[in-house]
Amino acid sequence: MFKKKPTASEVDGVQYRRAKTWQIICYACNALVGMSVYSLIGMASYSASIGYGITTAAVGIILTCTRILDGITDPLLAFVYDRVNTKFGKLRVLLVAGYLIEAVALYAMFTGFSSKGMGLVTFTLLYVVYVIGYTTTNMTAQTIPAIMTNDPRQRPTLGVWTTAFNYLVPMVMSMVLNVVLLPKCGGTYNQAFLTAACNITLIVAAIGTLLVCLGVSAFDKPETFVGTKKTEPLKMADIVEVLKHNKPLQCYIASNASDKLAQQVGSQAIINTILGGIIIGNIGLGTILSVISMVPSIFFAAFGAKYVGKHGSKKGIVNFTCISMVITAVMIVFFLVIDPKQIGVMGSPAMIIYVILSLLQNGSNMCITTSNTSYMADTIDFELDRSGRYIPAVVSGTYSLVDKLITSFAAVIATGAVALLGYTATMPQPTDPCTPAIFWMAMVLKFGLPIIGWIITLIAMRSCPLSKEEMVNVQKRIAEKKAAAQSEFYKEQLQ
């Protein structure tokens, strides 16, 4: 007779909370907001050059400074987050407000004021407004996984859906923009292309915002945000205290910030133009191949979730990072021993090998992302156990502050590297010739930087105390403290 598998609550002796599958899917639709905007803002350097006449070097400096501002605004949002309590909830109000702010800024940046004779000051101000809206949306969304579920088996599953959407959305956006829209606009990045890309992005992001609000509505109520002890209004010192004493958060900052810096450098539109358009020689086919290699690899995320649910977030990060390092090293060797132009020939052996390597690389990276989603939620619960305060926005904001101070250099690294290649007043175009300098610059930025980031991850995780066994103990202590706090509250009411 079939015996039902015991739940995580039965195994661990903790009454975990769980979300419904449709709620998780709706939350994962946040990728329609974050990743569609990410695809658009990756072309900010083109918008600055084409629409505002700003030089390549100046673009890098502007994007770096505004990225630093983005990091500073993240922990500041924690104060807003702590104080927003309306009849429409906390999460939904912040999500809608953030979308509206960034939508106005992006429309003005790419369409309303672009190619209208405006200059550096206008572009910079619009980018600052975009940063404020993006911060509001993104930081609020980062707190939601820990709120929806604390079941160690379900948290990685939530990561599967978010990982799948976070990869699928930019893939689809890349197909729409580079394969469909770009040829219709003459095959080059021009004002007509930027306007159409902006309009498409804002529609997609609006749909995503509405779906996320639907998914979190059941959790968006005051009792969700109660800790295990009485708390005072949030102060700046609380952010410093969290950063100083939350060891798992410190490890995560070192690990994920280094990885994201490499990822953001490699995902800049100018770097993808160099790799797909100049080195491979067929940016349209290059984009299609990326999609072909990405879609099957999404199933790796499901495997990653099962692994993390069984072995814990920390072990998932470490083991999948090692796998990603090996695959990426093989990818570098592959580019060295073949003629990269053969990748752009449909059906060639080089194209097939490239797709297979990309599939494996994307799959292992997705498993890392799934592990990271679960790990951040664990870190928020660790802070609740440590300090007695349920402050997800503070934990997320503290991480984002340091993360963005580091990753703020992504744009300046990419534009600076391209400027060293001779692109000082213009941007790389798919029709440019390939030189050894261009090839090696692409190899270093696209594959070399991720390997360095993963080495830092392995070093950081060696001192992380947040094993699977320790997380079970954390949840038990939280449950006991909340029960004690509730008992104390009843006693006070009876007196």
Side-chain angles (χ1 to χ4, degrees):
M1 187 175 181
F2 177 75
K3 186 177 180 181
K4 185 179 178 182
K5 185 178 179 180
T7 64
S9 295
E10 292 169 340
V11 172
D12 297 338
V14 180
Q15 188 56 50
Y16 293 117
R17 64 181 179 277
R18 293 175 58 86
K20 295 181 175 64
T21 301
W22 71 266
Q23 293 171 325
I24 293 175
I25 294 173
C26 282
Y27 162 70
C29 288
N30 180 61
L32 295 174
V33 187
M35 299 312 296
S36 64
V37 170
Y38 181 77
S39 299
L40 178 65
I41 208 64
M43 295 183 285
S45 53
Y46 283 98
S47 177
S49 176
I50 295 167
Y52 299 85
I54 303 172
T55 64
T56 304
V59 170
I61 295 172
I62 292 170
L63 297 184
T64 298
C65 292
T66 49
R67 180 73 177 174
I68 293 173
L69 172 66
D70 189 10
I72 294 172
T73 56
D74 282 348
L76 294 180
L77 179 70
F79 295 93
V80 178
Y81 188 99
D82 191 52
R83 289 164 173 77
V84 171
N85 291 290
T86 73
K87 64 179 181 179
F88 302 107
K90 178 196 297 281
L91 302 172
R92 288 167 291 177
V93 169
L94 290 171
L95 288 169
V96 172
Y99 166 74
L100 292 176
I101 294 170
E102 66 179 347
V104 169
L106 289 171
Y107 181 81
M109 185 193 306
F110 284 87
T111 301
F113 293 143
S114 186
S115 298
K116 300 290 195 308
M118 304 293 182
L120 185 147
V121 174
T122 300
F123 177 83
T124 304
L125 289 175
L126 291 174
Y127 205 100
V128 168
V129 176
Y130 152 73
V131 164
I132 294 172
Y134 170 81
T135 296
T136 305
T137 299
N138 185 57
M139 286 304 305
T140 302
Q142 283 188 29
T143 68
I144 294 175
I147 292 170
M148 295 183 78
T149 177
N150 65 345
D151 188 315
R153 293 183 187 173
Q154 190 176 55
R155 272 187 176 169
T157 302
L158 191 147
V160 172
W161 286 102
T162 55
T163 299
F165 276 73
N166 282 339
Y167 278 87
L168 278 173
V169 171
M171 272 196 307
V172 174
M173 290 295 293
S174 180
M175 289 287 290
V176 171
L177 299 181
N178 292 324
V179 179
V180 179
L181 188 60
L182 188 61
K184 291 184 177 180
C185 296
T188 61
Y189 294 99
N190 51 43
Q191 184 55 55
F193 171 79
L194 294 175
T195 297
C198 178
N199 293 338
I200 292 170
T201 297
L202 296 185
I203 293 172
V204 172
I207 295 171
T209 300
L210 293 176
L211 289 172
V212 177
C213 288
L214 176 64
V216 302
S217 59
F219 307 94
D220 196 7
K221 46 194 177 184
E223 54 267 33
T224 301
F225 305 93
V226 176
T228 61
K229 66 180 184 181
K230 292 181 179 179
T231 57
E232 298 177 354
L234 194 62
K235 304 183 292 295
M236 185 61 71
D238 295 323
I239 296 175
V240 177
E241 201 269 344
V242 168
L243 181 58
K244 185 177 179 180
H245 296 290
N246 192 316
K247 182 68 174 178
L249 179 60
Q250 295 170 2
C251 297
Y252 186 70
I253 288 172
S255 166
N256 208 35
S258 59
D259 290 354
K260 283 182 67 177
L261 174 62
Q263 177 193 14
Q264 291 189 15
V265 171
S267 64
Q268 294 290 313
I270 51 178
I271 304 302
N272 287 325
T273 298
I274 289 175
L275 183 67
I278 299 177
I279 295 177
I280 295 177
N282 190 335
I283 192 169
L285 180 60
T287 302
I288 293 172
L289 293 180
S290 296
V291 173
I292 292 173
S293 65
M294 186 70 74
V295 173
S297 63
I298 291 175
F299 294 102
F300 282 72
F303 168 77
K306 284 186 174 293
Y307 185 90
V308 172
K310 184 176 181 180
H311 299 285
S313 306
K314 174 187 171 181
K315 197 167 185 178
I317 291 173
V318 170
N319 289 345
F320 291 123
T321 291
C322 292
I323 294 172
S324 291
M325 288 178 65
V326 173
I327 296 171
T328 303
V330 172
M331 181 74 86
I332 295 174
V333 174
F334 171 68
F335 268 89
L336 290 175
V337 300
I338 58 114
D339 175 11
K341 297 291 185 184
Q342 291 300 310
I343 298 174
V345 179
M346 180 63 75
S348 67
M351 187 210 79
I352 295 171
I353 295 172
Y354 176 75
V355 169
I356 293 173
L357 287 175
S358 296
L359 188 154
L360 295 174
Q361 185 184 50
N362 294 333
S364 61
N365 289 346
M366 285 182 181
C367 291
I368 295 175
T369 304
T370 300
S371 303
N372 282 334
T373 301
S374 178
Y375 184 95
M376 174 51 82
D378 290 348
T379 303
I380 291 171
D381 285 345
F382 178 89
E383 181 60 30
L384 173 58
D385 175 43
R386 188 192 70 83
S387 67
R389 304 189 68 175
Y390 192 64
I391 44 177
V394 172
V395 177
S396 299
T398 303
Y399 155 71
S400 291
L401 168 61
V402 183
D403 167 71
K404 288 177 180 176
L405 288 176
I406 296 172
T407 57
S408 62
F409 293 97
V412 78
I413 289 172
T415 54
V418 169
L420 289 175
L421 296 173
Y423 294 96
T424 55
T426 60
M427 292 291 179
Q429 293 291 348
T431 53
D432 294 345
C434 181
T435 66
I438 288 176
F439 174 83
W440 282 108
M441 188 69 77
M443 291 298 102
V444 170
L445 297 184
K446 195 73 177 179
F447 304 121
L449 280 183
I451 291 178
I452 295 173
W454 290 324
I455 292 172
I456 294 173
T457 292
L458 295 179
I459 295 172
M461 284 297 159
R462 289 183 64 182
S463 59
C464 176
L466 213 56
S467 64
K468 176 177 172 54
E469 294 74 22
E470 177 58 21
M471 268 312 300
V472 172
N473 293 331
V474 165
Q475 297 295 355
K476 286 181 178 179
R477 290 194 294 267
I478 290 173
E480 291 169 358
K481 291 174 183 177
K482 283 194 171 185
Q486 190 175 44
S487 176
E488 185 65 27
F489 173 77
Y490 288 140
K491 288 181 181 178
E492 292 177 0
Q493 295 296 104
L494 294 173
Q495 290 177 356

